[in-house]
Amino acid sequence: MHIVERTLYELVHSKNPGRICVAYSRGADSTALLVALTNVVDVKRILVLHANHQLQANSGLWEKHCIEHCNQLGVEIEVERLEVSEKGNIESTARTKRYAFFSRFLDNGDFLLLGHHQQDQVETSLMRVFQGRGLIQMSEQRPLGKGLLARPLLNFPREKLVDYLSQKNYSWAEDESNSDQSFDRNYVRSTILPTVAVRWPNYAKALHRVIR
């Protein structure tokens, strides 16, 4: 059993949640999460949630890909087309509406799994430092609605998830908005961290250790 699958197996069988919801965007991280979960859990227990923010020209195509992939895996999917204003803090508004959508499907004992990985943890923590909020990590688990939100892949570098998908011959899609540096996270990811990596190649592991 691959280590990604083993991690999910141990989480599910130790906590024994009711329904297992998966936040799915068709990116590498959420695709690895969903594929691995279907290999260790009865697919009838899984509900996939896709939030279409309608902020990119290809958002409809992404939605279609998510539905098709879920049909191939035999899992149920719910799609929500969010209304997100392009004024103000788009990232914050989109996040708030996305989590409100997720929480509506969680009942007592249910889990929502997100595919955040080690790099996401580093990026988020640095952003919070730059915003003056302190070195605050994303939680591995926290309440959401009536259920529980969990991030079982936080200790995995993104490369491990990509390698898993390659082994399983599964494809994923890259969000074209990731290149838009008007978003804080994209600026940290594409400008700050690559510069840091030139000097300190192992920065991600080191920062992750400090954050934890």
Side-chain angles (χ1 to χ4, degrees):
M1 183 182 292
H2 192 279
I3 188 172
V4 175
E5 295 177 355
R6 187 183 308 117
T7 298
L8 293 173
Y9 177 88
E10 291 174 354
L11 171 66
V12 171
H13 289 272
S14 64
K15 301 295 185 180
N16 193 30
R19 182 163 57 179
I20 307 168
C21 298
V22 177
Y24 181 50
S25 68
R26 196 66 168 89
D29 47 2
S30 63
T31 300
L33 172 63
L34 178 58
V35 170
L37 189 64
T38 60
N39 285 326
V40 298
V41 173
D42 184 346
V43 295
K44 293 180 181 179
R45 296 178 63 186
I46 301 172
L47 173 64
V48 172
L49 302 176
H50 174 69
N52 182 348
H53 299 92
Q54 304 188 92
L55 292 172
Q56 285 85 41
N58 290 330
S59 62
L61 184 60
W62 273 62
E63 177 184 314
K64 181 174 181 288
H65 283 173
C66 288
I67 294 172
E68 290 176 348
H69 192 215
C70 287
N71 290 338
Q72 292 171 4
L73 292 172
V75 294
E76 183 182 356
I77 180 172
E78 290 282 348
V79 174
E80 180 92 349
R81 295 181 180 177
L82 306 178
E83 297 291 337
V84 180
S85 172
E86 296 190 36
K87 297 180 180 179
N89 190 331
I90 299 176
E91 291 171 284
S92 177
T93 301
R95 186 185 312 110
T96 298
K97 294 202 171 189
R98 183 167 65 248
Y99 279 80
F101 159 54
F102 294 155
S103 66
R104 293 205 311 271
F105 290 88
L106 296 176
D107 207 340
N108 294 325
D110 290 346
F111 267 29
L112 171 72
L113 302 186
L114 288 87
H116 294 132
H117 47 73
Q118 188 179 87
Q119 183 179 345
D120 292 322
Q121 179 73 286
V122 169
E123 292 169 358
T124 297
S125 297
L126 284 179
M127 287 168 58
R128 288 171 175 171
V129 168
F130 298 149
Q131 293 163 354
R133 298 165 59 191
L135 190 60
I136 306 171
Q137 65 175 338
M138 288 191 293
S139 57
E140 293 187 8
Q141 294 183 18
R142 69 171 177 83
L144 180 66
K146 295 181 180 180
L148 190 72
L149 177 155
R151 298 181 174 98
L153 305 181
L154 277 181
N155 291 324
F156 290 93
R158 185 179 187 275
E159 293 76 16
K160 179 71 72 174
L161 305 182
V162 170
D163 177 66
Y164 171 73
L165 290 176
S166 297
Q167 289 183 31
K168 295 293 183 178
N169 293 318
Y170 276 97
S171 61
W172 66 93
E174 297 291 349
D175 187 346
E176 61 271 18
S177 69
N178 286 340
S179 62
D180 185 352
Q181 294 198 38
S182 65
F183 295 118
D184 290 343
R185 180 178 295 277
N186 292 345
Y187 181 75
V188 170
R189 176 183 299 159
S190 60
T191 300
I192 295 178
L193 293 182
T195 302
V196 171
V198 173
R199 183 78 176 229
W200 296 284
N202 295 320
Y203 79 88
K205 289 182 179 179
L207 278 174
H208 186 64
R209 185 167 59 250
V210 171
I211 292 165
R212 291 181 61 82

